[in-house]
Amino acid sequence: MSKVKDQYADGEAARAWARFIGDASRRTRHYGAFLRRLLRARGAERVLDVACGTGVDSVLLLEAGFDVTSCDASDQMLKHALRTRWARRKEPAFDRWAIEEANWLTLPEDLPDARDRFDAVLCLGNSFAHLPARPGPDPQADQRRAIANFWGCVRPGGALIVDHRNYDAILATGATPKSCFYYNNSVTDIRTSVVYVDGEAVEVAMDYEVGRGDGKSVEAVREESQKAKSCFRLTYYPHRLDDFCALLRDALGPVAGHTVYADFRPTPGYTHGLEGDGLGLPDLE
Amino acid sequence: MSKVKDQYADGEAARAWARFIGDASRRTRHYGAFLRRLLRARGAERVLDVACGTGVDSVLLLEAGFDVTSCDASDQMLKHALRTRWARRKEPAFDRWAIEEANWLTLPEDLPDARDRFDAVLCLGNSFAHLPARPGPDPQADQRRAIANFWGCVRPGGALIVDHRNYDAILATGATPKSCFYYNNSVTDIRTSVVYVDGEAVEVAMDYEVGRGDGKSVEAVREESQKAKSCFRLTYYPHRLDDFCALLRDALGPVAGHTVYADFRPTPGYTHGLEGDGLGLPDLE
Amino acid sequence: MSKVKDQYADGEAARAWARFIGDASRRTRHYGAFLRRLLRARGAERVLDVACGTGVDSVLLLEAGFDVTSCDASDQMLKHALRTRWARRKEPAFDRWAIEEANWLTLPEDLPDARDRFDAVLCLGNSFAHLPARPGPDPQADQRRAIANFWGCVRPGGALIVDHRNYDAILATGATPKSCFYYNNSVTDIRTSVVYVDGEAVEVAMDYEVGRGDGKSVEAVREESQKAKSCFRLTYYPHRLDDFCALLRDALGPVAGHTVYADFRPTPGYTHGLEGDGLGLPDLE
Amino acid sequence: MSKVKDQYADGEAARAWARFIGDASRRTRHYGAFLRRLLRARGAERVLDVACGTGVDSVLLLEAGFDVTSCDASDQMLKHALRTRWARRKEPAFDRWAIEEANWLTLPEDLPDARDRFDAVLCLGNSFAHLPARPGPDPQADQRRAIANFWGCVRPGGALIVDHRNYDAILATGATPKSCFYYNNSVTDIRTSVVYVDGEAVEVAMDYEVGRGDGKSVEAVREESQKAKSCFRLTYYPHRLDDFCALLRDALGPVAGHTVYADFRPTPGYTHGLEGDGLGLPDLE
């Protein structure tokens, strides 16, 4: 059985990513409120976070009182989650945190008890787009399987929430909006590569180079970054909004409801909520 | 010193390529006539073919009476040329064929006697486009160096002839015109991948799959092709016409003349003639 | 800075090893008693286990009331230890278990608070022999550095306990005593390879093949084993007793005491106790 | 079908080897005389050299009037042979030199016209020992197949000549007799590694480091050698004399005659002559 490749396998990317994202609490304040409102509006209690990474979102949900199972294919990412859980083991909320290594394509085997069990399954943070096209005649077969595996963990009447960046906008320009960003006092150059096969975009790669900003040129940051090994590449399948809606239909057949949230215009992306009961996901904002 | 990577290193591609091209004499009849007229119009005698491959073009030139030095970075390709030369060693023309392994980026070291020596230097068959972008701030540095190295082998008043496919047309559609070709009784699927970095096309990859045509579907050919190991990938830097003219100027500075031949419209490509004497390359057709 | 390579990096070896070792409690009963007596005889409380692997020995020590810091270079092995610690988090003893990823060659950086801190540092289970010869003029340089790094974590007056198998016996025959072992109902073939460089043994490799025993031939086990991916290779530096004593002297200079325990004759090996105070390690048995 | 791996594939070893061997004519004077006497004593005319390398021995035989077919699995080695043949193409003897790329394990396919054709098949220069043990239950299967393939090219009544170094002597000491040799004004360090599996020697590796001798230390030569990339590793199966005789019997069954020539005592090696007619190979010296 094929597996999702772990882009964070060497630990270096996990560390660079942590440096790059910096103070998680600031970044996720707005985002977390959205997510909690959405889950509470549906009365969700048991949540599966299938792309927990270092556990940032999962911790927000635990703190908000949810019962959380977190999984990720990257054991390098999970190390951080495991460390956090141990450090906060005396807080009762953290007793309700299950952390498992699991691959989306083998979810039924990796999480044998998860079937039909969760009020909500989350795949957030642009994680789904890490799943690449499979070479060959059916490039999106793995993606459909992963979506179906996620849905298999949703209890009847529960919801699946999956997001992706606004790749329509990225593909329109072929470049990340500005080539230089300031996050947490570090200046960063992002080089964007797009691979088209027979006219269809099938991969976007972003080469991040993270350095200290002190009025340095992009070139200086690049060189420094390469020396410090703080450059890393992340690759994505560039889901266009219409194509992703079609992918969900192909993978799941008819579902009771499908709501699309576009959090910021024109980027960064879209959040899809799929429900099993037709009560409707809340109309937030 | 960096070197051009040998895309034919494993011998498999060289063999598949030979199967794919098939009867060389038919394919090159038209092309060869063009080349001989061009060289004779300039009174060329000594010719350097810097991308001789299996030697098809070089043999045409030997048979037409030119004194030919052939080189290639791929020793797998050169094997075929060496075998041909040995088989025809009793023909006086083949006594005048020098065959050398040489890399464009180290041409002065690899062919120490070639400096200023040839009436014409040829880089044909879309070979130049095999030289990829170099990662980093100056992606076309290797390409400029190769052009300069070619020019260094041209005698004062001689000419450099280099061609490339019509990548403007390929990039406009993102796909090779038809996805199915018939060459020499074999049906072939060509998958075209294009890589853009920050909006600039920097690589075109063509995945060839060669099979027997008998009304088979493309899928059947693909599968058969993969079993028979007759699929192979060739990658190119997609030189746009305007950009390539600029590249030549950047590499060589002012030259006495520059003529562009567009052999077929809208594809496959362009042939550039650069001269050192300003007598003009012939106006063919 | 060079690092010890993780022989268990792919997780496969860690799983096969767990299957192979089987019921840990039975195997370690005798061994654990030896270890506890040794540590108690010296009044040790704080113990550093630098080769904890899945944590089997560390758990024995925790249960016996010691304060344990465990580390290993293999994060695949540590996964098991971390899982055990979480599962038993309600037991007070397990609150006193620190688990860290650390490499012997970079111990001062990886465990910055460990300097001079432990009553006893343990490197057991034939783990030290995993550290290979370094190619070049000083093949045992890494081994001396690791020993010195261990010793740096021993408080003044504390002890370092390090063991190795009886490689003198293994080298004498060139083969593991019997080529077929029964452990926990699984029949196993061990193929032993020894590498000599200029007459000196510098590596012993053991290829384990683990299968179910049902009167099967070794060949049948091998084939089954390869299909099930339950074969794995572990490599060791074959420390001869005299040479290892010399290595300890070279790495540490004079120490207050050095006792050698030979647990079983003629194999499997030797345990070395080095002390910082000269009170003597206990004369057990 | 498996193939012999080309130890000279990167061209570097071929060049280093040429530098190391140096003036071929001096080295081979004695050896060549032995070979010519042996072949003439049997009235051989058509000779197949299955390990021709750069062609040194083949050239000696051509010059002595034999009709030579040369083959080698290493196209890097063959490049030198092909260059020599072209350079001397006007000498009638060289018109009778066929050079082919061929692998011992696929000789019938690679040289389809060679069956039963040659008066003598030669595998000299310690080349046969390059064929390694095959992992698995029958480590010498490839070696038997190669011997059988050689024999298949010998005409009825012809002879097979194959040599190997005196590995009995090498294994007795575990080191190449002296660790420092002077060849052609270059000082060389040879590090010898021997791999034993379950007590049987299955591989000898020799790491050569070639440098200029000017009273330099071995260490200085090593460092210089690594910088100049003139160090290389060659690996051998260490054929003991008795075992090799058994191997020949197992591969060929009964043959009319088998003579062993021990050229120098105690090293370097043995030459085996196997005949198809029982007239006897000559008793030289």
Side-chain angles (χ1 to χ4, degrees), chain C residues 12 16 19 181-189 191 208-232, chain D residues 137:
Chain C
E12 199 54 61
R19 231 179 311 156
F181 298 86
Y182 280 83
Y183 280 93
N184 309 298
N185 300 320
S186 66
V187 63
T188 295
D189 183 42
R191 210 175 301 187
Y208 291 84
E209 315 200 10
V210 183
R212 312 246 121 246
D214 307 302
K216 273 175 205 149
S217 70
V218 168
E219 235 97 89
V221 168
R222 250 175 218 171
E223 197 158 325
E224 173 193 295
S225 167
Q226 271 151 4
K227 272 189 203 133
K229 294 234 176 129
S230 55
C231 50
F232 56 99

Side-chain angles (χ1 to χ4, degrees), chain A:
Chain A
M1 168 117 345
S2 69
K3 298 228 172 182
V4 183
K5 193 166 156 284
D6 176 5
Q7 299 197 21
Y8 304 92
D10 70 354
E12 199 53 61
R15 273 188 293 278
W17 182 247
R19 231 180 310 156
F20 176 65
I21 289 302
D23 181 1
S25 64
R26 238 182 310 152
R27 183 186 67 93
T28 51
R29 200 168 303 145
H30 178 77
Y31 178 66
F34 165 80
L35 189 56
R36 283 192 302 271
R37 285 178 59 201
L38 195 154
L39 293 172
R40 280 177 185 149
R42 294 193 58 85
E45 287 175 13
R46 296 216 286 199
V47 175
L48 173 63
D49 179 359
V50 294
C52 72
T54 60
V56 174
D57 291 347
S58 295
V59 166
L60 288 180
L61 294 172
L62 288 165
E63 292 173 340
F66 294 97
D67 189 275
V68 182
T69 295
S70 301
C71 65
D72 204 288
S74 170
D75 56 1
Q76 296 303 316
M77 285 293 197
L78 287 179
K79 272 188 203 179
H80 296 262
L82 291 166
R83 191 171 303 134
T84 300
R85 185 176 69 169
W86 182 253
R88 301 180 68 173
R89 68 191 177 279
K90 301 299 183 194
E91 303 176 37
F94 284 77
D95 244 8
R96 296 199 302 274
W97 191 10
I99 301 176
E100 302 291 343
E101 193 173 328
N103 195 297
W104 298 342
L105 300 181
T106 53
L107 214 50
E109 296 94 81
D110 294 351
L111 298 182
D113 301 331
R115 176 133 202 104
D116 290 337
R117 207 185 125 208
F118 293 93
D119 300 322
V121 172
L122 313 179
C123 183
L124 299 173
N126 195 32
S127 302
F128 190 75
H130 276 321
L131 189 55
R134 179 203 280 181
D138 186 1
Q140 293 192 285
D142 285 347
Q143 294 169 6
R144 286 199 308 277
R145 174 195 285 269
I147 291 286
N149 283 346
F150 297 163
W151 190 246
C153 299
V154 175
R155 71 155 172 77
L160 165 63
I161 317 290
V162 52
D163 73 0
H164 56 85
R165 294 182 70 172
N166 182 346
Y167 289 105
D168 290 277
I170 291 171
L171 293 176
T173 66
T176 312
K178 275 180 82 1
S179 77
C180 245
F181 298 85
Y182 280 84
Y183 279 92
N184 309 299
N185 300 321
S186 66
V187 63
T188 296
D189 184 42
I190 304 183
R191 210 175 301 188
T192 305
S193 305
V194 184
V195 180
Y196 288 81
V197 173
D198 291 345
E200 296 286 332
V202 298
E203 187 183 286
V204 168
M206 296 193 186
D207 292 290
Y208 292 82
E209 314 199 10
V210 184
R212 311 245 123 244
D214 307 303
K216 272 176 206 148
S217 70
V218 167
E219 236 97 86
V221 167
R222 250 176 217 169
E223 197 157 324
E224 172 193 296
S225 169
Q226 272 151 2
K227 273 190 203 133
K229 293 230 176 135
S230 54
C231 51
F232 56 100
R233 160 170 282 213
L234 295 176
T235 60
Y236 305 96
Y237 187 93
H239 296 288
R240 292 175 191 273
L241 181 54
D242 285 352
D243 293 345
F244 194 74
C245 291
L247 177 77
L248 292 169
R249 278 193 306 273
D250 289 351
L252 302 185
V255 297
H258 179 182
T259 307
V260 178
Y261 303 90
D263 30 20
F264 307 100
R265 295 206 159 273
T267 52
Y270 300 103
T271 301
H272 297 254
L274 296 121
E275 351 148 25
D277 57 11
L279 293 179
L281 283 158
D283 183 11
L284 304 165
E285 239 79 351

Side-chain angles (χ1 to χ4, degrees), chain D residues 29-48:
Chain D
R29 202 169 302 146
H30 178 78
Y31 178 66
F34 165 80
L35 189 57
R36 282 191 303 271
R37 285 179 57 201
L38 194 153
L39 292 172
R40 281 179 185 149
R42 292 192 59 84
E45 287 174 14
R46 296 216 284 198
V47 175
L48 173 64

Side-chain angles (χ1 to χ4, degrees), chain D residues 84-165:
Chain D
T84 300
R85 185 175 67 170
W86 181 253
R88 301 181 66 174
R89 68 190 178 281
K90 301 300 183 194
E91 302 177 37
F94 284 77
D95 244 8
R96 296 200 301 275
W97 192 9
I99 301 176
E100 302 290 344
E101 193 173 329
N103 195 296
W104 298 343
L105 300 180
T106 54
L107 215 49
E109 296 95 79
D110 294 351
L111 297 183
D113 300 331
R115 176 135 201 101
D116 291 336
R117 208 186 123 208
F118 293 92
D119 300 320
V121 172
L122 313 179
C123 183
L124 299 173
N126 195 32
S127 302
F128 190 76
H130 276 320
L131 189 54
R134 180 203 279 181
D138 186 1
Q140 292 192 285
D142 285 346
Q143 294 167 8
R144 288 198 308 276
R145 173 193 286 271
I147 291 287
N149 283 346
F150 297 163
W151 190 247
C153 299
V154 176
R155 69 155 172 77
L160 166 63
I161 317 289
V162 51
D163 73 0
H164 56 86
R165 294 182 70 173

Side-chain angles (χ1 to χ4, degrees), chain C residues 119-228:
Chain C
D119 299 322
V121 172
L122 312 179
C123 183
L124 300 172
N126 195 32
S127 303
F128 189 75
H130 276 321
L131 188 55
R134 180 203 278 181
D138 186 1
Q140 294 193 285
D142 285 346
Q143 295 168 5
R144 287 197 309 276
R145 173 195 288 267
I147 291 287
N149 283 346
F150 298 164
W151 191 247
C153 300
V154 176
R155 70 155 171 77
L160 165 63
I161 317 289
V162 52
D163 73 0
H164 56 86
R165 294 183 69 173
N166 182 344
Y167 289 105
D168 290 277
I170 290 172
L171 293 177
T173 67
T176 312
K178 277 180 79 5
S179 78
C180 245
F181 298 86
Y182 280 83
Y183 280 93
N184 309 298
N185 300 320
S186 66
V187 63
T188 295
D189 183 42
I190 304 183
R191 210 175 301 187
T192 305
S193 304
V194 185
V195 180
Y196 288 81
V197 172
D198 290 345
E200 296 287 331
V202 298
E203 186 184 287
V204 168
M206 297 195 184
D207 292 291
Y208 291 84
E209 315 200 10
V210 183
R212 312 246 121 246
D214 307 302
K216 273 175 205 149
S217 70
V218 168
E219 235 97 89
V221 168
R222 250 175 218 171
E223 197 158 325
E224 173 193 295
S225 167
Q226 271 151 4
K227 272 189 203 133

Side-chain angles (χ1 to χ4, degrees), chain B residues 220-255:
Chain B
V221 168
R222 251 177 217 171
E223 198 158 322
E224 174 194 294
S225 168
Q226 271 152 2
K227 273 189 203 132
K229 293 233 175 129
S230 54
C231 50
F232 55 100
R233 159 170 282 213
L234 295 176
T235 59
Y236 305 96
Y237 187 93
H239 295 287
R240 295 176 189 272
L241 182 53
D242 285 352
D243 293 346
F244 194 74
C245 291
L247 177 77
L248 292 170
R249 275 195 306 275
D250 289 351
L252 302 185
V255 296

Side-chain angles (χ1 to χ4, degrees), chain C residues 33-39 41 259-262 281-285:
Chain C
F34 164 81
L35 189 56
R36 282 191 302 273
R37 285 177 58 202
L38 194 154
L39 293 172
T259 307
V260 178
Y261 303 90
L281 283 157
D283 183 11
L284 304 164
E285 238 80 352

Side-chain angles (χ1 to χ4, degrees), chain B residues 124-146:
Chain B
L124 300 172
N126 195 32
S127 303
F128 189 75
H130 275 322
L131 188 55
R134 179 203 278 180
D138 186 1
Q140 294 192 283
D142 285 346
Q143 295 169 5
R144 286 197 310 274
R145 174 194 285 269

